Amino acid sequence: MDIPTAPGKITRKKLSAGTYIYYEYAREYDKQKKFNIPRRACIGKQDPSDGTRMLPNEKFHDFFPSETAVEHDCGRSSCLRVGSFLLVSRFAEKLGLLSWLQGRFGAKDGGLILDLASYLLIAEKNAAQHYPDYAYNHPLFTPDMRIYGDTKVGSLFKDGIDRDDVIAFTEWWNDSRDHRRRIYISYDSTNKISQAGDIELLEGGHAKDGPDGSPIVNIAMATDVCEAMPLFYEDYCGSIVDVSQFEQMVEKAQALGYRNIGFILDRGYFSRANLEDLDRRKYNFLIMAKGRKSLVSSLVLGVKGGFEDKSANTIWEYEVNGTTVEAKLYSDDRRTRCFHIYYSAQNHAAERSVFETCIKKMAGALDRLLGRKCDRLNLKAYARFFDLTFSDDRDRVLLACPKNNKAIDDYIGYCGYFCLISSEKMTAREALLLYKSRDYSEKLFSADKTFTGSWAERIQSVEALRSKIFIEFLALILRSRLHHAINGHIVATGRRPNYMNVVSVLGELEKIELIRIGDGVYHLDHAITARQRDILSVFALGVDDIKDRCRALSRTLAAIDNRNAEGGGPESDVRDDSAVETEEEV
């Protein structure tokens, strides 16, 4: 469209990716500098072939709501990658996701939401401006497989999904779970960085993928470890620490109808308040003990030397030995807990090597300080493993620094040991296998940040942030089903080819293509390979199943083309070429 006429308010900024158009929407007077400071927003990208025209983004319509961008018909690619889509659509139908989304949001928006979740999963990206490129060469869930540009996607993020929609989905999704059976919920959290402006959820906090104090939003998720299924999630302000938010999560689980459950928690949630709250609600828990707590250390001393080399105590799955003792968590605890103590020879060697390297560095640093004043240095950490002698309190000249061999030996004596605490009686093997099952929730967070490209959120409003997190949760549900099926196949067959993982499976199935040549009808490009047959068997799909689905998809595409031809043009296949990078993404 033409660059809008607004004298004195339109500016251009040339960057490596192109020239961007900015609109000055306000001026603020700075009392200290004594001049006005312009406030500008990026509203689009200049057409490289015509300096008078531009490709608008969603911000453009905030300032020029009456203007309408022209949609250019780019049609659909003559080569469609259908393998991954067929697999995702199978799970989406089986789980009822497509029918629920279309019933809640309508056929158009519901299909687009599932398309965006598929895009996150298959393309491993979360930048909205790249979605049209994915849609151009993939089948879609939208009516008539219509390709929408990022103007429509931006509108969906901003106004199409609200908190009531997310709550309704959470209730529906958890209603389908069997609340009568005993389940263990793994609860874990992470955070994501965003450099967007004034968004209420973004606050400075301890960023896991950036410097402390970065603007972040915290995301927590509850996962059923038995079925490896995400149950619900919550977003909260970046300044709230995980241990404080846990109580609200327990209340949410209770409100969703979960009663006969236990929680598997990592050491970050170890606090007396959290454990007492779980006791009060009569929920069981399994938690990793923090570091070298004095209580755990005393229990380790009590059993040390009695189980480390006995085959009866070996847990072969993880090459560790374990034993269980009963004790109270704190002096006035009303119940005894099971403390499961483990020893790993491999961990012992690794931890000892790291510790001894650290001691060598500390000794070298102290040698360089001998005879020098240390009044401004904090040597508290050194004093634990070295006997430091200073001249006097005023000068604090370091005179001697021999090693404290007893403290060093005591530390090495605990290398290789770790402890799990359970509120109900179980063996050390049962506790470790149950706790290791929570690795799945950690891998889901890794998948969210790494494989869906969602380590940072590229948004400009709190509505868009929450909408995007909701779509990412849908993508994780689909990914969890793929991972669960693949893992079950590996356990059942006892073989793990290097292509049996979610990323490789999707990449291999992307090679199954439909091409349109000659008669204008899409046909399967080549026969299914042996590796693809092996992958499809994991999901109970055969070659004939894929061929039937491809033929049905071809007929659907032919019907769409016929309707477009009768209607005078491919209106349902338009592609909005207003894709533009935001200022933040540049």
Side-chain angles (χ1 to χ4, degrees):
M1 62 176 302
D2 291 334
I3 296 176
T5 302
K9 294 189 175 184
I10 300 295
T11 56
R12 290 171 171 79
K13 186 174 183 179
K14 189 173 182 180
L15 299 173
S16 58
T19 301
Y20 291 84
I21 309 299
Y22 286 81
Y23 175 71
E24 181 183 314
Y25 59 88
R27 282 179 173 265
E28 294 181 3
Y29 183 74
D30 190 318
K31 293 182 180 180
Q32 293 182 345
K33 297 180 179 179
K34 297 183 179 180
F35 59 79
N36 289 324
I37 298 177
R39 301 298 180 188
R40 299 187 178 97
C42 179
I43 61 172
K45 187 176 182 180
Q46 181 177 297
D47 184 350
S49 61
D50 187 350
T52 65
R53 296 176 68 79
M54 62 178 285
L55 304 173
N57 60 15
E58 66 273 13
K59 276 290 182 181
F60 174 86
H61 299 286
D62 292 342
F63 301 109
F64 302 94
S66 61
E67 300 289 341
T68 302
V70 178
E71 292 185 333
H72 300 280
D73 171 30
C74 293
R76 185 186 321 279
S77 174
S78 296
C79 178
L80 296 182
R81 300 173 181 177
V82 300
S84 296
F85 169 83
L86 294 176
L87 188 60
V88 170
S89 63
R90 176 183 173 90
F91 280 111
E93 293 170 4
K94 187 176 181 179
L95 296 171
L97 293 178
L98 180 59
S99 60
W100 189 90
L101 290 171
Q102 290 179 335
R104 180 76 183 188
F105 298 97
K108 181 174 69 174
D109 285 354
L112 179 57
I113 289 172
L114 191 55
D115 281 330
L116 290 168
S118 303
Y119 159 65
L120 294 179
L121 176 63
I122 296 172
E124 301 177 16
K125 298 177 181 178
N126 81 333
Q129 75 265 26
H130 299 312
Y131 165 74
D133 299 324
Y134 161 85
Y136 181 66
N137 54 20
H138 285 83
L140 302 173
F141 293 102
T142 52
D144 284 350
M145 298 191 189
R146 179 169 182 174
I147 301 174
Y148 291 102
D150 64 329
T151 299
K152 169 61 179 175
V153 174
S155 175
L156 177 70
F157 282 167
K158 187 174 181 181
D159 303 315
I161 305 173
D162 57 29
R163 294 298 297 277
D164 289 339
D165 295 325
V166 176
I167 293 171
F169 176 82
T170 303
E171 292 175 347
W172 170 78
W173 181 245
N174 287 274
D175 279 344
S176 62
R177 307 298 106 198
D178 184 0
H179 292 180
R180 295 172 297 178
R181 69 177 179 84
R182 178 63 177 275
I183 67 171
Y184 268 91
I185 292 179
S186 173
Y187 181 75
D188 207 348
S189 60
T190 188
N191 52 57
K192 300 183 182 185
I193 300 173
S194 179
Q195 298 295 336
D198 186 17
I199 296 179
E200 59 187 24
L201 286 178
L202 295 178
E203 293 183 358
H206 179 62
K208 297 182 180 180
D209 291 311
D212 284 351
S214 299
I216 60 173
V217 57
N218 286 320
I219 311 292
M221 185 168 64
T223 306
D224 179 358
V225 298
C226 302
E227 294 187 358
M229 179 72 78
L231 298 177
F232 60 89
Y233 71 93
E234 49 192 0
D235 49 66
Y236 52 97
C237 296
S239 61
I240 299 177
V241 295
D242 299 341
V243 71
S244 302
Q245 183 65 19
F246 178 68
E247 182 179 350
Q248 279 64 46
M249 193 283 305
V250 175
E251 291 180 354
K252 182 176 289 188
Q254 196 169 19
L256 290 171
Y258 293 105
R259 298 291 183 271
N260 190 18
I261 60 176
F263 289 96
I264 306 176
L265 308 169
D266 71 2
R267 66 193 69 192
Y269 296 95
F270 191 102
S271 76
R272 179 168 179 171
N274 280 342
L275 301 185
E276 287 181 342
D277 185 59
L278 288 174
D279 284 339
R280 179 175 59 83
R281 299 175 188 271
K282 298 182 180 181
Y283 287 154
N284 289 306
F285 62 83
L286 176 65
I287 192 169
M288 175 76 75
K290 275 189 174 180
R292 297 170 182 269
K293 295 181 70 68
S294 57
L295 172 60
V296 175
S297 300
S298 63
L299 293 175
V300 170
L301 287 177
V303 299
K304 191 175 182 180
F307 72 98
E308 294 89 339
D309 298 320
K310 294 184 178 180
S311 60
N313 296 94
T314 301
I315 303 171
W316 300 105
E317 291 89 342
Y318 297 101
E319 299 181 356
V320 302
N321 281 32
T323 188
T324 301
V325 296
E326 294 187 7
K328 291 186 176 182
L329 268 172
Y330 30 87
S331 58
D332 57 342
D333 196 355
R334 292 175 294 179
R335 300 173 54 186
T336 58
R337 320 288 181 170
C338 288
F339 288 77
H340 311 281
I341 299 170
Y342 305 91
Y343 174 77
S344 167
Q346 294 178 348
N347 289 355
H348 174 86
E351 292 173 13
R352 178 169 181 172
S353 176
V354 172
F355 174 68
E356 289 180 342
T357 300
C358 181
I359 290 295
K360 290 179 183 178
K361 292 181 179 179
M362 294 171 73
L366 290 174
D367 287 341
R368 291 189 293 271
L369 291 173
L370 283 174
R372 298 172 56 184
K373 292 182 65 174
C374 302
D375 55 332
R376 296 184 179 181
L377 298 177
N378 184 5
L379 299 178
K380 184 178 179 180
Y382 292 79
R384 181 180 178 186
F385 300 109
F386 294 85
D387 294 325
L388 306 180
T389 303
F390 298 95
S391 59
D392 53 54
D393 293 338
R394 186 184 64 182
D395 293 334
R396 285 185 60 82
V397 175
L398 183 62
L399 302 178
C401 55
K403 289 191 294 186
N404 184 340
N405 292 318
K406 183 180 183 306
I408 293 174
D409 291 342
D410 287 344
Y411 190 96
I412 292 175
Y414 290 108
C415 289
Y417 291 89
F418 61 96
C419 178
L420 295 174
I421 305 173
S422 65
S423 60
E424 59 180 337
K425 290 186 177 181
M426 60 181 69
T427 65
R429 181 178 183 276
E430 291 171 340
L432 185 61
L433 293 180
L434 186 58
Y435 186 81
K436 286 294 185 180
S437 65
R438 77 175 297 278
D439 288 349
Y440 171 74
S441 65
E442 294 182 347
K443 289 178 180 178
L444 264 186
F445 276 126
S446 174
D448 181 33
K449 288 191 171 184
T450 305
F451 299 124
T452 68
S454 299
W455 65 272
E457 298 293 359
R458 301 170 172 88
I459 41 79
Q460 296 180 345
S461 67
V462 67
E463 295 84 7
L465 174 62
R466 285 187 163 131
S467 298
K468 208 163 191 182
I469 293 173
F470 172 67
I471 293 174
E472 289 169 3
F473 184 69
L474 295 177
L476 285 181
I477 289 176
L478 294 170
R479 194 179 198 279
S480 73
R481 295 301 83 202
L482 297 178
H483 179 273
H484 186 60
I486 294 170
N487 195 52
H489 177 79
I490 291 172
V491 172
T493 60
R495 52 185 288 269
R496 185 192 292 270
N498 58 6
Y499 54 84
M500 278 299 178
N501 58 76
V502 175
V503 176
S504 298
V505 162
L506 292 175
E508 190 65 34
L509 294 183
E510 281 284 87
K511 299 175 185 178
I512 300 177
E513 298 174 336
L514 292 179
I515 61 171
R516 180 175 56 190
I517 56 175
D519 57 1
V521 178
Y522 284 94
H523 300 277
L524 192 63
D525 184 30
H526 53 74
I528 307 300
T529 66
R531 176 173 293 187
Q532 290 166 352
R533 288 198 298 270
D534 190 23
I535 290 173
L536 291 170
S537 67
V538 174
F539 307 100
L541 290 171
V543 174
D544 291 338
D545 294 322
I546 292 299
K547 289 182 177 179
D548 290 342
R549 289 171 178 266
C550 286
R551 282 192 286 266
L553 189 58
S554 178
R555 289 192 295 269
T556 300
L557 290 166
I560 292 172
D561 290 340
N562 290 334
R563 284 197 297 272
N564 292 334
E566 293 173 0
E571 181 184 357
S572 58
D573 289 341
V574 295
R575 178 186 179 191
D576 180 357
D577 277 346
S578 59
V580 60
E581 295 168 315
T582 64
E583 178 183 6
E584 173 205 340
E585 291 166 331
V586 173

